[in-house]
Amino acid sequence: MENLLSERILSTPPSFVRSILKTAADPEIISFAGGLPNPVSFPQEELLKSMKNIVDKFGSAVFQYSLTPGIPQLREYIANRYNKKFGLNLDYENILITTGSQQALDLISKVLLDKNDNVVVEKPSYLGAIQVFSQYQPKFHTVELTENGLNIEQLKEVLKNDIKLLYAIPEFQNPTGLTYSAENREEIFNVIKDKNMVLVEDDPYGELRFEGEHLPYIGAGKFKNSIVLGSFSKVVTPGMRTGYIICQNKELIKHISISKEASDLHTNVFAQYLIWDYLMNNDFDAHIAKIRKLYKEQAHAMLNAMDKYFPKNIKYTRPDGGMFLWVTLPEDISALELFPKALEKKVAFVPGDPFYINKKNVNTLRLNYTNADSKTIEEGIKRLGELLNAIPVKTLSRS
Amino acid sequence: MENLLSERILSTPPSFVRSILKTAADPEIISFAGGLPNPVSFPQEELLKSMKNIVDKFGSAVFQYSLTPGIPQLREYIANRYNKKFGLNLDYENILITTGSQQALDLISKVLLDKNDNVVVEKPSYLGAIQVFSQYQPKFHTVELTENGLNIEQLKEVLKNDIKLLYAIPEFQNPTGLTYSAENREEIFNVIKDKNMVLVEDDPYGELRFEGEHLPYIGAGKFKNSIVLGSFSKVVTPGMRTGYIICQNKELIKHISISKEASDLHTNVFAQYLIWDYLMNNDFDAHIAKIRKLYKEQAHAMLNAMDKYFPKNIKYTRPDGGMFLWVTLPEDISALELFPKALEKKVAFVPGDPFYINKKNVNTLRLNYTNADSKTIEEGIKRLGELLNAIPVKTLSRS
């Protein structure tokens, strides 16, 4: 078998999270490991109503083969929403519907990356992005993520290489929950503006802001090869796998469309009509407000519990939105080694390792707060706190 | 822009069919160009009922993230159906649900193909397969497709190369409508049985046999690295993009699953529950029988009209099932050059070129008979006949 497999697949890490999710499937375990939206964010009754609507109205068209870039109605809705919210100047041809944002990353990789091409990612970055880029065997460069965004000096340094792609998650980053400041975004733009490269701003959580004011994109509307990724996974339903690419450059989106066609012809067209009908016939912003309120409560429940139960020298981020926060343990503690001990206490998280390029036994870990109620969150954090407090003091005080 | 694009995308042909489909979108045009199933094959009312069922029964699970290889229920249904029909010995772990068969080809390519690896395809072959393989920059080898299947001498010859993948469509092949004979399948098996390679039998049309008896697979159940591709696109709904990989070798399917995870996490889970519920609560075989009957009528309408209106020296296949037939013009006629003239007469087909590796202005073309009623089919063939009869006799008589 081995000698039949491609180099690319042998260099692709299997998702650590998915193997953890299997371990954590025990219903007694309080899991902060996944990235599941709260089911309250799925407007089930309204979607069921829209299903009937679209079958009545469009008949067989919702079951038939369709256009590769997606149905024009939904693409137009998305273009208009971003124009209104972010002052962009998009039309439907700037939008391509994808089978979730994960596919968007795959298509962009296909269109841009030959083996050994240079890609820049945050340190740490979204593990699913590291996984998909790995399949195209690029050379990875990393730029440290600080409280305010990318480390600009490091960014300037890596841009001395011939970079094809800079991948960033400026809002409520996965895994850290950090948000780039307005100043940091401006600085990044100034550093890249004359470069012949593609900037991907992955923005699945942008609608989930529960603190502060919304911020402009780094490149959208001004950088020639700007791509923004969006998704209905966190605000309507992830099971329907409906994401989208917003791309300024119509030549680039044409190539992405060819790649899409070869990859799966088009995204589930029923799902596209369904989401479009839902958006047209319901108060989407009111629905989002409900999700925001819930996630704010849950994030606070987690932070309050951490303040109460965690030893004082353990650091963690305080996100303004999104689904995750990031814990930094004392330097000599491996989150990976802590993981089985946490499982014994029936609580799960994601050790930091898979969010880095080739780094092992790091002292960071990711917690998700969207998929458990506040009481359960407090109980889980309490258990983690007991575990952390049991680590010998001399180790803890060293950090 | 150009210098940002990958070699792979620059070597991927855009789908000719899709650009033709745009041209042929004029409602006055009788199009034999697409590969659309007849809407009668979509059980709309039953699907609508199943939608309500699954939301009632499974609630948020049908809208949430799910397992990469697909929901176990549907995979088990598929395993059982193939065990019963083909005497195979599959369990649900041999099945992986894909975002249509097109994605199956993409995932298999990802897992197997490095640049310059050797791939064997039929001559002619499915253009979507040529397109997806091209993205991985393999070295293509072709084996001529005859009335009975692959040319065995040519197959033996190309297998002297170090082949990773043999891609075949043994039933009602796309584009030709030809079916490999039982003897040919046996011969192919004997030629490949000791080779360390993967055999992909793409079988989206197998259920659509309207003449003759069903035949065993070439490799399924006996060849170690056998893959069979199936799909609900032609028998339930293509818009839902639900296909599957049947893979004997569990190590291979594990790698395909890692690749699937990086490509789109998982296939639309609502569609999976929906199709499973539909299959459990309806007489699927009766539904398929209805589609077969219709396609038989339509195929006969096309063949009868061709017998009546086409010049005698034009050859065409007589399919036992599926959706297409294949026309061979006199040797010096380019189907591509004929195409705009056909459009003037308001009739469309797919010229043969994109079904070959690097062949231009061939004298073959593909006709689809599933998406127009018998009367429209006769009218379209009559128009094509007028066009062909208008070609000067000396040219026609030369063949």
Side-chain angles (χ1 to χ4, degrees), chain B residues 25-257:
Chain B
D26 176 352
E28 275 183 48
I29 287 180
I30 297 176
S31 178
F32 303 133
L36 300 185
N38 197 299
V40 94
S41 64
F42 316 152
Q44 293 188 37
E45 285 311 308
E46 293 83 350
L47 288 173
L48 202 50
K49 207 176 286 176
S50 282
M51 288 173 203
K52 197 174 169 328
N53 278 356
I54 61 173
V55 176
D56 285 354
K57 193 164 167 191
F58 301 104
S60 64
V62 304
F63 298 108
Q64 186 58 282
Y65 283 114
S66 186
L67 303 171
T68 294
I71 63 169
Q73 299 97 308
L74 182 60
R75 291 155 70 201
E76 197 168 317
Y77 176 95
I78 294 165
N80 289 340
R81 186 169 174 90
Y82 280 75
N83 289 345
K84 220 161 132 182
K85 267 190 88 162
F86 297 99
L88 302 179
N89 186 23
L90 306 165
D91 63 51
Y92 81 99
E93 290 184 321
N94 294 111
I95 315 293
L96 183 136
I97 307 293
T98 58
T99 306
S101 280
Q102 187 71 29
Q103 189 193 37
L105 294 173
D106 189 44
L107 299 178
I108 291 165
S109 302
K110 270 186 182 146
V111 165
L112 297 176
L113 301 182
D114 287 314
K115 190 173 168 180
N116 294 324
D117 278 349
N118 294 300
V119 169
V120 182
V121 298
E122 300 148 323
K123 179 184 178 183
S125 183
Y126 167 50
L127 62 84
I130 294 173
Q131 196 190 25
V132 66
F133 296 149
S134 295
Q135 296 210 77
Y136 299 90
Q137 302 169 279
K139 186 153 186 258
F140 280 109
H141 302 264
T142 59
V143 173
E144 205 153 347
L145 189 58
T146 71
E147 285 285 324
N148 299 314
L150 291 184
N151 178 320
I152 297 293
E153 290 315 309
Q154 283 185 19
L155 178 64
K156 283 182 185 162
E157 195 56 36
V158 299
L159 288 181
K160 289 179 183 163
N161 298 288
D162 199 9
I163 300 296
K164 278 239 180 139
L165 176 64
L166 166 58
Y167 172 75
I169 314 165
E171 299 264 299
F172 329 128
Q173 199 246 13
N174 182 356
T176 62
L178 293 171
T179 294
Y180 297 19
S181 68
E183 296 68 33
N184 188 260
R185 292 171 197 229
E186 191 68 32
E187 285 177 312
I188 295 170
F189 174 71
N190 284 326
V191 171
I192 66 168
K193 68 182 174 196
D194 298 322
K195 302 272 180 194
N196 185 32
M197 54 181 278
V198 173
L199 166 68
V200 173
E201 298 181 72
D202 193 358
D203 187 27
Y205 316 112
E207 302 275 14
L208 305 179
R209 176 179 285 280
F210 47 71
E211 304 283 0
E213 293 300 315
H214 98 81
L215 297 169
Y217 285 112
I218 299 168
K222 39 188 187 170
F223 186 62
K224 187 187 167 207
N225 295 322
S226 149
I227 291 178
V228 170
L229 304 184
S231 172
F232 294 105
S233 289
K234 311 305 186 285
V235 285
V236 184
T237 159
M240 289 278 182
R241 313 301 304 119
T242 313
Y244 46 90
I245 290 174
I246 302 173
C247 180
Q248 219 74 18
N249 181 330
K250 288 192 181 174
E251 197 197 331
L252 180 55
I253 209 166
K254 190 192 77 191
H255 287 284
I256 295 173
S257 186

Side-chain angles (χ1 to χ4, degrees), chain A residues 18-46:
Chain A
R18 299 223 138 207
S19 50
I20 278 184
L21 286 182
K22 275 185 208 159
T23 324
D26 176 351
E28 275 183 46
I29 288 180
I30 297 176
S31 178
F32 303 134
L36 301 185
N38 197 299
V40 94
S41 63
F42 317 151
Q44 292 187 36
E45 285 312 308
E46 292 83 350

Side-chain angles (χ1 to χ4, degrees), chain B residues 268-341:
Chain B
N268 185 312
V269 66
F270 182 86
Q272 295 181 57
Y273 275 105
L274 176 66
I275 289 174
W276 172 76
D277 188 87
Y278 166 77
L279 295 169
M280 297 305 285
N281 294 308
N282 294 276
D283 186 344
F284 186 37
D285 288 315
H287 174 66
I288 291 171
K290 202 173 66 180
I291 305 172
R292 277 189 195 136
K293 182 168 175 287
L294 181 74
Y295 289 1
K296 180 176 184 169
E297 277 167 32
Q298 293 178 185
H300 285 190
M302 184 169 275
L303 287 164
N304 291 341
M306 290 165 90
D307 294 344
K308 188 166 162 191
Y309 297 111
F310 275 17
K312 292 298 162 233
N313 53 358
I314 287 183
K315 292 177 212 133
Y316 35 90
T317 58
R318 295 188 172 266
D320 289 338
M323 302 172 61
F324 305 105
L325 56 79
W326 188 242
V327 177
T328 304
L329 306 172
E331 268 183 28
D332 56 351
I333 307 290
S334 155
L336 197 61
E337 284 174 19
L338 202 67
F339 181 70
K341 294 176 196 153

Side-chain angles (χ1 to χ4, degrees), chain A residues 140-350:
Chain A
F140 280 109
H141 302 263
T142 60
V143 173
E144 205 152 348
L145 189 59
T146 71
E147 285 285 324
N148 299 313
L150 291 184
N151 178 320
I152 297 294
E153 289 316 308
Q154 284 184 18
L155 179 64
K156 283 181 185 161
E157 194 56 36
V158 301
L159 288 180
K160 289 178 183 164
N161 298 287
D162 199 8
I163 301 295
K164 278 240 179 138
L165 176 64
L166 167 57
Y167 172 74
I169 314 165
E171 299 265 298
F172 329 128
Q173 198 246 12
N174 183 356
T176 63
L178 292 170
T179 295
Y180 297 20
S181 69
E183 297 68 33
N184 188 260
R185 293 171 196 230
E186 191 68 33
E187 285 176 313
I188 296 170
F189 174 72
N190 284 327
V191 171
I192 66 168
K193 67 182 175 197
D194 299 321
K195 302 272 178 192
N196 184 33
M197 55 181 277
V198 174
L199 166 68
V200 173
E201 297 183 71
D202 193 358
D203 188 28
Y205 317 112
E207 301 276 15
L208 305 179
R209 178 179 283 280
F210 46 71
E211 303 283 1
E213 292 300 315
H214 97 82
L215 297 169
Y217 285 111
I218 298 167
K222 39 187 188 171
F223 186 62
K224 187 188 167 208
N225 295 322
S226 149
I227 291 179
V228 170
L229 305 184
S231 172
F232 294 105
S233 289
K234 312 303 188 283
V235 286
V236 183
T237 158
M240 289 279 182
R241 313 302 304 119
T242 314
Y244 46 90
I245 290 173
I246 303 173
C247 180
Q248 219 74 18
N249 180 331
K250 289 192 181 173
E251 196 197 333
L252 180 55
I253 209 167
K254 190 192 78 190
H255 287 284
I256 295 173
S257 186
I258 293 171
S259 176
K260 166 83 179 159
E261 182 178 47
S263 299
D264 66 358
L265 297 185
H266 62 79
T267 294
N268 186 312
V269 66
F270 182 87
Q272 295 181 57
Y273 276 104
L274 176 65
I275 288 173
W276 172 76
D277 188 87
Y278 166 77
L279 295 168
M280 297 306 285
N281 292 308
N282 293 277
D283 186 344
F284 185 37
D285 288 317
H287 173 66
I288 291 171
K290 202 171 67 179
I291 305 172
R292 276 188 195 136
K293 183 167 174 287
L294 181 74
Y295 288 1
K296 180 176 184 170
E297 278 167 30
Q298 294 178 184
H300 285 191
M302 184 169 275
L303 287 163
N304 291 341
M306 290 164 91
D307 294 345
K308 189 166 161 191
Y309 297 111
F310 276 17
K312 292 300 162 234
N313 53 359
I314 288 183
K315 292 176 212 134
Y316 35 89
T317 57
R318 294 188 174 268
D320 289 339
M323 302 172 62
F324 304 105
L325 57 78
W326 188 241
V327 177
T328 305
L329 305 172
E331 268 183 27
D332 55 351
I333 306 289
S334 154
L336 198 61
E337 284 173 18
L338 203 66
F339 181 69
K341 295 175 195 152
L343 276 192
E344 276 171 32
K345 286 200 168 276
K346 304 282 183 198
V347 57
F349 56 80
V350 183

